[in-house]
Amino acid sequence: MLPLGLLNAATGHPMLVELKNGETLNGHLISCDTWMNLTLKEVVQTSPEGDRFQRVPEVYVRGNNIKYLRVPDEIIEHVKEQQQAPSNRGRGGGAQRGDHGGRGDRGGRGSRGFRGRGRRGG
């Protein structure tokens, strides 16, 4: 399971983010990008000592400051089920190289067939 896929599935759900400086942020994930930068809303920020709390409407967290993420178990299970379900794209499913998707013996270069570069006629 890839972390970014899990984070994208967790959009709109509550999560806990622990930062490298020891602070924790509890809030709902609004968005994430490929560098794991996060935007959270309705956030409760806790000091590293755990003795101070602060409510913040919205927080942007740079990905390189994240130490730990806690996502609800339901989200993890949902992503696992999606990955285990058979799909028609990517490896093992759908059209493969050389499969022309039901074009039959029509070819791909008109009615005369294709004999190579620079040659004409049939």
Side-chain angles (χ1 to χ4, degrees):
M1 175 180 335
L2 296 174
L4 289 176
L6 181 61
L7 281 177
N8 286 326
T11 301
H13 292 85
M15 66 183 322
L16 177 134
V17 179
E18 184 176 338
L19 304 178
K20 290 179 181 177
N21 68 2
E23 290 181 5
T24 59
L25 305 168
N26 278 294
H28 289 80
L29 180 63
I30 296 174
S31 65
C32 66
D33 63 16
T34 55
W35 294 277
M36 216 177 282
N37 298 322
L38 309 177
T39 304
L40 302 169
K41 69 176 182 179
E42 301 168 8
V43 179
V44 175
Q45 181 180 7
T46 307
S47 68
E49 297 80 27
D51 59 347
R52 291 185 313 259
F53 303 91
Q54 182 177 358
R55 282 192 174 274
V56 184
E58 190 169 301
V59 173
Y60 177 81
V61 182
R62 190 167 162 175
N64 68 341
N65 291 320
I66 296 173
K67 177 180 178 181
Y68 175 84
L69 294 169
R70 176 74 174 138
V71 178
D73 291 336
E74 308 88 61
I75 304 298
I76 296 171
E77 293 302 318
H78 177 71
V79 171
K80 281 183 184 178
E81 289 171 8
Q82 282 184 333
Q83 288 180 350
Q84 291 173 353
S87 67
N88 290 334
R89 55 185 163 76
R91 293 185 183 176
Q96 300 294 320
R97 285 188 177 178
D99 181 3
H100 298 290
R103 289 193 320 198
D105 61 344
R106 194 177 71 188
R109 298 285 182 185
S111 61
R112 289 190 303 250
F114 181 68
R115 295 188 178 186
R117 267 198 159 117
R119 296 177 88 184
R120 293 195 177 243

